[in-house]
PDB file of all heavy atoms in Angstrom:
ATOM      1  N   LYS A  11     102.635  24.182 183.186  1.00  0.00           N
ATOM      2  CA  LYS A  11     103.970  24.206 183.791  1.00  0.00           C
ATOM      3  C   LYS A  11     104.793  22.996 183.354  1.00  0.00           C
ATOM      4  O   LYS A  11     105.994  23.094 183.172  1.00  0.00           O
ATOM      5  CB  LYS A  11     103.840  24.233 185.319  1.00  0.00           C
ATOM      6  CG  LYS A  11     103.229  25.550 185.814  1.00  0.00           C
ATOM      7  CD  LYS A  11     102.736  25.435 187.253  1.00  0.00           C
ATOM      8  CE  LYS A  11     101.801  26.580 187.602  1.00  0.00           C
ATOM      9  NZ  LYS A  11     100.835  26.192 188.636  1.00  0.00           N
ATOM     10  N   PHE A  35     105.950  25.845 194.440  1.00  0.00           N
ATOM     11  CA  PHE A  35     105.515  27.024 195.199  1.00  0.00           C
ATOM     12  C   PHE A  35     104.820  28.023 194.270  1.00  0.00           C
ATOM     13  O   PHE A  35     105.288  29.155 194.098  1.00  0.00           O
ATOM     14  CB  PHE A  35     106.705  27.659 195.939  1.00  0.00           C
ATOM     15  CG  PHE A  35     107.546  26.654 196.673  1.00  0.00           C
ATOM     16  CD1 PHE A  35     108.890  26.453 196.363  1.00  0.00           C
ATOM     17  CD2 PHE A  35     106.974  25.851 197.655  1.00  0.00           C
ATOM     18  CE1 PHE A  35     109.651  25.496 197.032  1.00  0.00           C
ATOM     19  CE2 PHE A  35     107.724  24.899 198.325  1.00  0.00           C
ATOM     20  CZ  PHE A  35     109.062  24.718 198.010  1.00  0.00           C
ATOM     21  N   ASP A  36     103.729  27.564 193.632  1.00  0.00           N
ATOM     22  CA  ASP A  36     102.930  28.407 192.735  1.00  0.00           C
ATOM     23  C   ASP A  36     103.765  29.041 191.628  1.00  0.00           C
ATOM     24  O   ASP A  36     103.545  30.199 191.257  1.00  0.00           O
ATOM     25  CB  ASP A  36     102.209  29.521 193.521  1.00  0.00           C
ATOM     26  CG  ASP A  36     101.081  28.967 194.369  1.00  0.00           C
ATOM     27  OD1 ASP A  36     100.497  27.953 193.963  1.00  0.00           O
ATOM     28  OD2 ASP A  36     100.797  29.555 195.433  1.00  0.00           O
ATOM     29  N   GLU A  90      91.125  19.929 192.374  1.00  0.00           N
ATOM     30  CA  GLU A  90      92.216  18.971 192.526  1.00  0.00           C
ATOM     31  C   GLU A  90      91.872  18.086 193.712  1.00  0.00           C
ATOM     32  O   GLU A  90      91.414  18.574 194.741  1.00  0.00           O
ATOM     33  CB  GLU A  90      93.538  19.702 192.770  1.00  0.00           C
ATOM     34  CG  GLU A  90      93.946  20.532 191.566  1.00  0.00           C
ATOM     35  CD  GLU A  90      95.353  21.082 191.660  1.00  0.00           C
ATOM     36  OE1 GLU A  90      95.968  21.012 192.739  1.00  0.00           O
ATOM     37  OE2 GLU A  90      95.827  21.593 190.620  1.00  0.00           O
ATOM     38  N   VAL A  91      92.086  16.808 193.545  1.00  0.00           N
ATOM     39  CA  VAL A  91      91.767  15.842 194.599  1.00  0.00           C
ATOM     40  C   VAL A  91      93.082  15.301 195.141  1.00  0.00           C
ATOM     41  O   VAL A  91      93.892  14.775 194.383  1.00  0.00           O
ATOM     42  CB  VAL A  91      90.937  14.668 194.025  1.00  0.00           C
ATOM     43  CG1 VAL A  91      90.512  13.728 195.138  1.00  0.00           C
ATOM     44  CG2 VAL A  91      89.731  15.193 193.265  1.00  0.00           C
ATOM     45  N   VAL A  92      93.307  15.461 196.433  1.00  0.00           N
ATOM     46  CA  VAL A  92      94.517  14.924 197.054  1.00  0.00           C
ATOM     47  C   VAL A  92      94.115  13.776 197.974  1.00  0.00           C
ATOM     48  O   VAL A  92      93.169  13.897 198.761  1.00  0.00           O
ATOM     49  CB  VAL A  92      95.296  16.023 197.823  1.00  0.00           C
ATOM     50  CG1 VAL A  92      96.392  15.430 198.700  1.00  0.00           C
ATOM     51  CG2 VAL A  92      95.887  17.031 196.840  1.00  0.00           C
ATOM     52  N   VAL A  93      94.810  12.664 197.838  1.00  0.00           N
ATOM     53  CA  VAL A  93      94.588  11.503 198.695  1.00  0.00           C
ATOM     54  C   VAL A  93      95.859  11.283 199.511  1.00  0.00           C
ATOM     55  O   VAL A  93      96.963  11.356 198.965  1.00  0.00           O
ATOM     56  CB  VAL A  93      94.286  10.232 197.851  1.00  0.00           C
ATOM     57  CG1 VAL A  93      94.010   9.042 198.759  1.00  0.00           C
ATOM     58  CG2 VAL A  93      93.115  10.465 196.907  1.00  0.00           C
ATOM     59  N   ARG A  94      95.685  11.043 200.818  1.00  0.00           N
ATOM     60  CA  ARG A  94      96.849  10.922 201.701  1.00  0.00           C
ATOM     61  C   ARG A  94      96.762   9.659 202.556  1.00  0.00           C
ATOM     62  O   ARG A  94      95.716   9.389 203.158  1.00  0.00           O
ATOM     63  CB  ARG A  94      96.913  12.108 202.657  1.00  0.00           C
ATOM     64  CG  ARG A  94      96.999  13.449 201.963  1.00  0.00           C
ATOM     65  CD  ARG A  94      97.022  14.549 202.997  1.00  0.00           C
ATOM     66  NE  ARG A  94      97.009  15.860 202.381  1.00  0.00           N
ATOM     67  CZ  ARG A  94      98.097  16.528 202.009  1.00  0.00           C
ATOM     68  NH1 ARG A  94      99.293  16.010 202.178  1.00  0.00           N
ATOM     69  NH2 ARG A  94      97.988  17.722 201.467  1.00  0.00           N
ATOM     70  N   ALA A  98     102.527  14.256 205.232  1.00  0.00           N
ATOM     71  CA  ALA A  98     103.684  14.893 204.599  1.00  0.00           C
ATOM     72  C   ALA A  98     103.234  16.253 204.085  1.00  0.00           C
ATOM     73  O   ALA A  98     102.039  16.564 204.105  1.00  0.00           O
ATOM     74  CB  ALA A  98     104.229  14.034 203.456  1.00  0.00           C
ATOM     75  N   GLY A  99     104.192  17.028 203.623  1.00  0.00           N
ATOM     76  CA  GLY A  99     103.903  18.286 202.945  1.00  0.00           C
ATOM     77  C   GLY A  99     102.966  19.188 203.732  1.00  0.00           C
ATOM     78  O   GLY A  99     103.124  19.383 204.939  1.00  0.00           O
ATOM     79  N   SER A 100     101.955  19.722 203.023  1.00  0.00           N
ATOM     80  CA  SER A 100     101.095  20.740 203.638  1.00  0.00           C
ATOM     81  C   SER A 100     100.275  20.189 204.802  1.00  0.00           C
ATOM     82  O   SER A 100      99.956  20.912 205.729  1.00  0.00           O
ATOM     83  CB  SER A 100     100.180  21.373 202.584  1.00  0.00           C
ATOM     84  OG  SER A 100      99.227  20.450 202.133  1.00  0.00           O
ATOM     85  N   LEU A 101      99.930  18.904 204.764  1.00  0.00           N
ATOM     86  CA  LEU A 101      99.132  18.345 205.875  1.00  0.00           C
ATOM     87  C   LEU A 101      99.968  18.279 207.151  1.00  0.00           C
ATOM     88  O   LEU A 101      99.503  18.653 208.239  1.00  0.00           O
ATOM     89  CB  LEU A 101      98.597  16.939 205.532  1.00  0.00           C
ATOM     90  CG  LEU A 101      97.777  16.327 206.663  1.00  0.00           C
ATOM     91  CD1 LEU A 101      96.356  16.876 206.646  1.00  0.00           C
ATOM     92  CD2 LEU A 101      97.761  14.823 206.612  1.00  0.00           C
ATOM     93  N   ALA A 102     101.222  17.818 207.011  1.00  0.00           N
ATOM     94  CA  ALA A 102     102.110  17.717 208.169  1.00  0.00           C
ATOM     95  C   ALA A 102     102.279  19.113 208.789  1.00  0.00           C
ATOM     96  O   ALA A 102     102.206  19.275 210.014  1.00  0.00           O
ATOM     97  CB  ALA A 102     103.458  17.145 207.740  1.00  0.00           C
ATOM     98  N   GLU A 109     106.530  14.636 209.456  1.00  0.00           N
ATOM     99  CA  GLU A 109     106.394  13.947 208.164  1.00  0.00           C
ATOM    100  C   GLU A 109     106.687  12.469 208.361  1.00  0.00           C
ATOM    101  O   GLU A 109     107.641  12.105 209.061  1.00  0.00           O
ATOM    102  CB  GLU A 109     107.386  14.517 207.143  1.00  0.00           C
ATOM    103  CG  GLU A 109     106.911  15.787 206.500  1.00  0.00           C
ATOM    104  CD  GLU A 109     107.465  15.951 205.094  1.00  0.00           C
ATOM    105  OE1 GLU A 109     108.671  15.744 204.904  1.00  0.00           O
ATOM    106  OE2 GLU A 109     106.675  16.296 204.180  1.00  0.00           O
ATOM    107  N   GLU A 119      91.181  15.228 200.206  1.00  0.00           N
ATOM    108  CA  GLU A 119      91.015  16.691 200.253  1.00  0.00           C
ATOM    109  C   GLU A 119      90.700  17.223 198.863  1.00  0.00           C
ATOM    110  O   GLU A 119      91.156  16.664 197.861  1.00  0.00           O
ATOM    111  CB  GLU A 119      92.314  17.373 200.711  1.00  0.00           C
ATOM    112  CG  GLU A 119      92.766  17.016 202.101  1.00  0.00           C
ATOM    113  CD  GLU A 119      94.187  17.499 202.411  1.00  0.00           C
ATOM    114  OE1 GLU A 119      94.917  17.891 201.497  1.00  0.00           O
ATOM    115  OE2 GLU A 119      94.560  17.465 203.583  1.00  0.00           O
ATOM    116  N   TYR A 121      90.867  20.782 196.439  1.00  0.00           N
ATOM    117  CA  TYR A 121      91.393  22.141 196.261  1.00  0.00           C
ATOM    118  C   TYR A 121      90.741  22.732 195.024  1.00  0.00           C
ATOM    119  O   TYR A 121      90.492  22.015 194.038  1.00  0.00           O
ATOM    120  CB  TYR A 121      92.920  22.118 196.077  1.00  0.00           C
ATOM    121  CG  TYR A 121      93.661  21.656 197.310  1.00  0.00           C
ATOM    122  CD1 TYR A 121      93.842  20.296 197.576  1.00  0.00           C
ATOM    123  CD2 TYR A 121      94.164  22.571 198.226  1.00  0.00           C
ATOM    124  CE1 TYR A 121      94.501  19.858 198.711  1.00  0.00           C
ATOM    125  CE2 TYR A 121      94.828  22.147 199.379  1.00  0.00           C
ATOM    126  CZ  TYR A 121      94.994  20.788 199.611  1.00  0.00           C
ATOM    127  OH  TYR A 121      95.641  20.366 200.744  1.00  0.00           O
ATOM    128  N   ASP A 129      95.107  28.039 194.602  1.00  0.00           N
ATOM    129  CA  ASP A 129      94.491  26.716 194.828  1.00  0.00           C
ATOM    130  C   ASP A 129      94.043  26.499 196.281  1.00  0.00           C
ATOM    131  O   ASP A 129      94.589  25.635 196.982  1.00  0.00           O
ATOM    132  CB  ASP A 129      95.455  25.574 194.432  1.00  0.00           C
ATOM    133  CG  ASP A 129      95.801  25.583 192.951  1.00  0.00           C
ATOM    134  OD1 ASP A 129      95.141  26.291 192.179  1.00  0.00           O
ATOM    135  OD2 ASP A 129      96.736  24.849 192.575  1.00  0.00           O
ATOM    136  N   ILE A 174     102.771   7.851 199.639  1.00  0.00           N
ATOM    137  CA  ILE A 174     102.514   8.741 200.782  1.00  0.00           C
ATOM    138  C   ILE A 174     101.235   9.549 200.533  1.00  0.00           C
ATOM    139  O   ILE A 174     100.320   9.568 201.348  1.00  0.00           O
ATOM    140  CB  ILE A 174     103.706   9.714 200.991  1.00  0.00           C
ATOM    141  CG1 ILE A 174     105.019   8.936 201.113  1.00  0.00           C
ATOM    142  CG2 ILE A 174     103.463  10.648 202.160  1.00  0.00           C
ATOM    143  CD1 ILE A 174     105.073   7.943 202.235  1.00  0.00           C
ATOM    144  N   ASP A 175     101.208  10.245 199.379  1.00  0.00           N
ATOM    145  CA  ASP A 175     100.035  11.040 198.988  1.00  0.00           C
ATOM    146  C   ASP A 175     100.123  11.318 197.495  1.00  0.00           C
ATOM    147  O   ASP A 175     101.161  11.066 196.871  1.00  0.00           O
ATOM    148  CB  ASP A 175      99.936  12.338 199.804  1.00  0.00           C
ATOM    149  CG  ASP A 175     101.171  13.218 199.695  1.00  0.00           C
ATOM    150  OD1 ASP A 175     101.819  13.213 198.637  1.00  0.00           O
ATOM    151  OD2 ASP A 175     101.485  13.928 200.676  1.00  0.00           O
ATOM    152  N   PHE A 176      99.045  11.799 196.908  1.00  0.00           N
ATOM    153  CA  PHE A 176      99.068  12.129 195.479  1.00  0.00           C
ATOM    154  C   PHE A 176      97.881  13.021 195.139  1.00  0.00           C
ATOM    155  O   PHE A 176      96.913  13.107 195.892  1.00  0.00           O
ATOM    156  CB  PHE A 176      99.053  10.868 194.597  1.00  0.00           C
ATOM    157  CG  PHE A 176      97.889   9.942 194.822  1.00  0.00           C
ATOM    158  CD1 PHE A 176      96.773   9.987 193.988  1.00  0.00           C
ATOM    159  CD2 PHE A 176      97.888   9.038 195.867  1.00  0.00           C
ATOM    160  CE1 PHE A 176      95.692   9.132 194.195  1.00  0.00           C
ATOM    161  CE2 PHE A 176      96.815   8.181 196.086  1.00  0.00           C
ATOM    162  CZ  PHE A 176      95.706   8.238 195.254  1.00  0.00           C
ATOM    163  N   LYS A 177      97.995  13.658 193.955  1.00  0.00           N
ATOM    164  CA  LYS A 177      96.963  14.585 193.474  1.00  0.00           C
ATOM    165  C   LYS A 177      96.384  14.058 192.164  1.00  0.00           C
ATOM    166  O   LYS A 177      97.130  13.598 191.289  1.00  0.00           O
ATOM    167  CB  LYS A 177      97.624  15.945 193.245  1.00  0.00           C
ATOM    168  CG  LYS A 177      96.699  17.066 192.886  1.00  0.00           C
ATOM    169  CD  LYS A 177      96.623  17.396 191.426  1.00  0.00           C
ATOM    170  CE  LYS A 177      97.924  17.772 190.774  1.00  0.00           C
ATOM    171  NZ  LYS A 177      97.761  18.104 189.334  1.00  0.00           N
ATOM    172  N   LEU A 178      95.074  14.118 192.042  1.00  0.00           N
ATOM    173  CA  LEU A 178      94.410  13.674 190.808  1.00  0.00           C
ATOM    174  C   LEU A 178      93.548  14.805 190.264  1.00  0.00           C
ATOM    175  O   LEU A 178      93.077  15.660 191.011  1.00  0.00           O
ATOM    176  CB  LEU A 178      93.498  12.471 191.097  1.00  0.00           C
ATOM    177  CG  LEU A 178      94.141  11.213 191.671  1.00  0.00           C
ATOM    178  CD1 LEU A 178      93.060  10.204 192.051  1.00  0.00           C
ATOM    179  CD2 LEU A 178      95.125  10.582 190.687  1.00  0.00           C
ATOM    180  N   GLU A 179      93.339  14.750 188.949  1.00  0.00           N
ATOM    181  CA  GLU A 179      92.377  15.661 188.320  1.00  0.00           C
ATOM    182  C   GLU A 179      91.431  14.841 187.464  1.00  0.00           C
ATOM    183  O   GLU A 179      91.847  13.855 186.836  1.00  0.00           O
ATOM    184  CB  GLU A 179      93.111  16.709 187.467  1.00  0.00           C
ATOM    185  CG  GLU A 179      93.958  17.616 188.331  1.00  0.00           C
ATOM    186  CD  GLU A 179      94.571  18.774 187.581  1.00  0.00           C
ATOM    187  OE1 GLU A 179      93.985  19.217 186.583  1.00  0.00           O
ATOM    188  OE2 GLU A 179      95.647  19.218 188.014  1.00  0.00           O
ATOM    189  N   ASP A 191      94.896  14.267 183.525  1.00  0.00           N
ATOM    190  CA  ASP A 191      96.218  14.708 183.976  1.00  0.00           C
ATOM    191  C   ASP A 191      97.254  13.595 183.885  1.00  0.00           C
ATOM    192  O   ASP A 191      97.341  12.906 182.866  1.00  0.00           O
ATOM    193  CB  ASP A 191      96.099  15.295 185.391  1.00  0.00           C
ATOM    194  CG  ASP A 191      97.276  16.162 185.785  1.00  0.00           C
ATOM    195  OD1 ASP A 191      97.798  16.886 184.928  1.00  0.00           O
ATOM    196  OD2 ASP A 191      97.683  16.120 186.968  1.00  0.00           O
ATOM    197  N   SER A 194     102.620  10.615 188.329  1.00  0.00           N
ATOM    198  CA  SER A 194     104.085  10.606 188.201  1.00  0.00           C
ATOM    199  C   SER A 194     104.678  11.159 189.487  1.00  0.00           C
ATOM    200  O   SER A 194     103.948  11.648 190.356  1.00  0.00           O
ATOM    201  CB  SER A 194     104.472  11.509 187.033  1.00  0.00           C
ATOM    202  OG  SER A 194     104.294  12.872 187.421  1.00  0.00           O
ATOM    203  N   PRO A 195     106.006  11.161 189.614  1.00  0.00           N
ATOM    204  CA  PRO A 195     106.616  11.758 190.814  1.00  0.00           C
ATOM    205  C   PRO A 195     106.415  13.274 190.906  1.00  0.00           C
ATOM    206  O   PRO A 195     106.736  13.872 191.925  1.00  0.00           O
ATOM    207  CB  PRO A 195     108.112  11.427 190.662  1.00  0.00           C
ATOM    208  CG  PRO A 195     108.148  10.267 189.721  1.00  0.00           C
ATOM    209  CD  PRO A 195     107.004  10.480 188.773  1.00  0.00           C
ATOM    210  N   ASP A 196     105.864  13.893 189.837  1.00  0.00           N
ATOM    211  CA  ASP A 196     105.480  15.307 189.943  1.00  0.00           C
ATOM    212  C   ASP A 196     104.229  15.454 190.796  1.00  0.00           C
ATOM    213  O   ASP A 196     104.012  16.495 191.421  1.00  0.00           O
ATOM    214  CB  ASP A 196     105.142  15.885 188.552  1.00  0.00           C
ATOM    215  CG  ASP A 196     106.363  16.462 187.845  1.00  0.00           C
ATOM    216  OD1 ASP A 196     107.496  16.192 188.290  1.00  0.00           O
ATOM    217  OD2 ASP A 196     106.164  17.170 186.836  1.00  0.00           O
ATOM    218  N   THR A 197     103.377  14.449 190.780  1.00  0.00           N
ATOM    219  CA  THR A 197     102.050  14.574 191.404  1.00  0.00           C
ATOM    220  C   THR A 197     101.832  13.603 192.569  1.00  0.00           C
ATOM    221  O   THR A 197     100.768  13.630 193.190  1.00  0.00           O
ATOM    222  CB  THR A 197     100.936  14.327 190.359  1.00  0.00           C
ATOM    223  OG1 THR A 197     101.104  13.012 189.821  1.00  0.00           O
ATOM    224  CG2 THR A 197     100.980  15.349 189.231  1.00  0.00           C
ATOM    225  N   CYS A 198     102.819  12.745 192.816  1.00  0.00           N
ATOM    226  CA  CYS A 198     102.712  11.773 193.920  1.00  0.00           C
ATOM    227  C   CYS A 198     103.942  11.906 194.807  1.00  0.00           C
ATOM    228  O   CYS A 198     105.020  12.235 194.324  1.00  0.00           O
ATOM    229  CB  CYS A 198     102.729  10.336 193.397  1.00  0.00           C
ATOM    230  SG  CYS A 198     101.500   9.923 192.164  1.00  0.00           S
ATOM    231  N   ARG A 199     103.787  11.585 196.098  1.00  0.00           N
ATOM    232  CA  ARG A 199     104.972  11.396 196.935  1.00  0.00           C
ATOM    233  C   ARG A 199     105.236   9.901 197.021  1.00  0.00           C
ATOM    234  O   ARG A 199     104.358   9.139 197.461  1.00  0.00           O
ATOM    235  CB  ARG A 199     104.770  11.969 198.336  1.00  0.00           C
ATOM    236  CG  ARG A 199     104.870  13.470 198.386  1.00  0.00           C
ATOM    237  CD  ARG A 199     105.078  14.014 199.793  1.00  0.00           C
ATOM    238  NE  ARG A 199     105.397  15.433 199.716  1.00  0.00           N
ATOM    239  CZ  ARG A 199     104.481  16.410 199.783  1.00  0.00           C
ATOM    240  NH1 ARG A 199     103.209  16.114 199.992  1.00  0.00           N
ATOM    241  NH2 ARG A 199     104.853  17.666 199.674  1.00  0.00           N
ATOM    242  N   LYS A 211     109.132  14.669 193.451  1.00  0.00           N
ATOM    243  CA  LYS A 211     109.436  16.083 193.191  1.00  0.00           C
ATOM    244  C   LYS A 211     109.912  16.839 194.420  1.00  0.00           C
ATOM    245  O   LYS A 211     110.474  17.929 194.290  1.00  0.00           O
ATOM    246  CB  LYS A 211     108.192  16.755 192.583  1.00  0.00           C
ATOM    247  CG  LYS A 211     108.465  18.063 191.899  1.00  0.00           C
ATOM    248  CD  LYS A 211     107.241  18.530 191.135  1.00  0.00           C
ATOM    249  CE  LYS A 211     107.130  20.017 191.117  1.00  0.00           C
ATOM    250  NZ  LYS A 211     105.843  20.448 190.540  1.00  0.00           N
ATOM    251  N   ASP A 212     109.721  16.302 195.613  1.00  0.00           N
ATOM    252  CA  ASP A 212     110.268  16.968 196.801  1.00  0.00           C
ATOM    253  C   ASP A 212     111.787  17.125 196.696  1.00  0.00           C
ATOM    254  O   ASP A 212     112.359  18.046 197.298  1.00  0.00           O
ATOM    255  CB  ASP A 212     109.907  16.201 198.089  1.00  0.00           C
ATOM    256  CG  ASP A 212     108.531  16.595 198.623  1.00  0.00           C
ATOM    257  OD1 ASP A 212     107.978  17.628 198.170  1.00  0.00           O
ATOM    258  OD2 ASP A 212     107.996  15.860 199.483  1.00  0.00           O
ATOM    259  N   ARG A 215     111.728  20.398 194.947  1.00  0.00           N
ATOM    260  CA  ARG A 215     111.131  21.452 195.785  1.00  0.00           C
ATOM    261  C   ARG A 215     112.060  21.853 196.915  1.00  0.00           C
ATOM    262  O   ARG A 215     112.175  23.016 197.261  1.00  0.00           O
ATOM    263  CB  ARG A 215     109.816  20.958 196.427  1.00  0.00           C
ATOM    264  CG  ARG A 215     108.655  20.722 195.475  1.00  0.00           C
ATOM    265  CD  ARG A 215     107.363  20.472 196.272  1.00  0.00           C
ATOM    266  NE  ARG A 215     106.268  20.013 195.449  1.00  0.00           N
ATOM    267  CZ  ARG A 215     105.890  18.737 195.328  1.00  0.00           C
ATOM    268  NH1 ARG A 215     106.514  17.781 196.013  1.00  0.00           N
ATOM    269  NH2 ARG A 215     104.888  18.404 194.550  1.00  0.00           N
ATOM    270  N   ARG A 216     112.704  20.852 197.526  1.00  0.00           N
ATOM    271  CA  ARG A 216     113.490  21.098 198.744  1.00  0.00           C
ATOM    272  C   ARG A 216     114.996  21.110 198.488  1.00  0.00           C
ATOM    273  O   ARG A 216     115.778  20.988 199.432  1.00  0.00           O
ATOM    274  CB  ARG A 216     113.138  20.020 199.779  1.00  0.00           C
ATOM    275  CG  ARG A 216     111.647  19.991 200.075  1.00  0.00           C
ATOM    276  CD  ARG A 216     111.275  18.928 201.094  1.00  0.00           C
ATOM    277  NE  ARG A 216     109.832  18.835 201.245  1.00  0.00           N
ATOM    278  CZ  ARG A 216     109.227  18.097 202.159  1.00  0.00           C
ATOM    279  NH1 ARG A 216     109.940  17.383 203.011  1.00  0.00           N
ATOM    280  NH2 ARG A 216     107.906  18.063 202.224  1.00  0.00           N
TER     281      ARG A 216
HETATM  282  N1  UDP B 301     100.378  18.155 194.495  1.00  0.00           N
HETATM  283  C1  UDP B 301     100.404  18.376 193.128  1.00  0.00           C
HETATM  284  N2  UDP B 301     100.141  19.627 192.656  1.00  0.00           N
HETATM  285  C2  UDP B 301      99.861  20.683 193.471  1.00  0.00           C
HETATM  286  C3  UDP B 301      99.833  20.468 194.865  1.00  0.00           C
HETATM  287  C4  UDP B 301     100.105  19.189 195.346  1.00  0.00           C
HETATM  288  O1  UDP B 301     100.634  17.442 192.358  1.00  0.00           O
HETATM  289  O2  UDP B 301      99.623  21.791 192.962  1.00  0.00           O
HETATM  290  C5  UDP B 301     100.648  16.810 195.027  1.00  0.00           C
HETATM  291  C6  UDP B 301     101.980  16.727 195.735  1.00  0.00           C
HETATM  292  O3  UDP B 301     102.993  16.254 194.861  1.00  0.00           O
HETATM  293  C7  UDP B 301     101.722  15.726 196.824  1.00  0.00           C
HETATM  294  C8  UDP B 301     100.231  15.886 197.132  1.00  0.00           C
HETATM  295  O4  UDP B 301      99.669  16.528 196.000  1.00  0.00           O
HETATM  296  O5  UDP B 301     101.935  14.411 196.336  1.00  0.00           O
HETATM  297  C9  UDP B 301      99.939  16.673 198.383  1.00  0.00           C
HETATM  298  O6  UDP B 301     100.626  17.909 198.313  1.00  0.00           O
HETATM  299  P1  UDP B 301     100.614  18.919 199.548  1.00  0.00           P
HETATM  300  O7  UDP B 301      99.243  19.416 199.778  1.00  0.00           O
HETATM  301  O8  UDP B 301     101.307  18.296 200.697  1.00  0.00           O
HETATM  302  O9  UDP B 301     101.395  20.188 199.030  1.00  0.00           O
HETATM  303  P2  UDP B 301     102.940  20.486 198.842  1.00  0.00           P
HETATM  304  O10 UDP B 301     103.618  20.134 200.101  1.00  0.00           O
HETATM  305  O11 UDP B 301     103.339  19.644 197.669  1.00  0.00           O
HETATM  306  O12 UDP B 301     102.932  21.962 198.521  1.00  0.00           O
END
Side-chain angles (χ1 to χ4, degrees):
K11 293 164 196 152
F35 313 118
D36 289 330
E90 295 190 349
V91 185
V92 168
V93 182
R94 301 179 184 272
S100 69
L101 180 81
E109 279 209 314
E119 297 169 347
Y121 294 84
D129 297 347
I174 306 301
D175 57 32
F176 57 98
K177 186 261 302 181
L178 300 173
E179 295 187 28
D191 198 37
S194 73
D196 271 14
T197 59
C198 305
R199 284 197 170 92
K211 197 170 147 188
D212 275 346
R215 292 190 190 99
R216 303 180 186 187

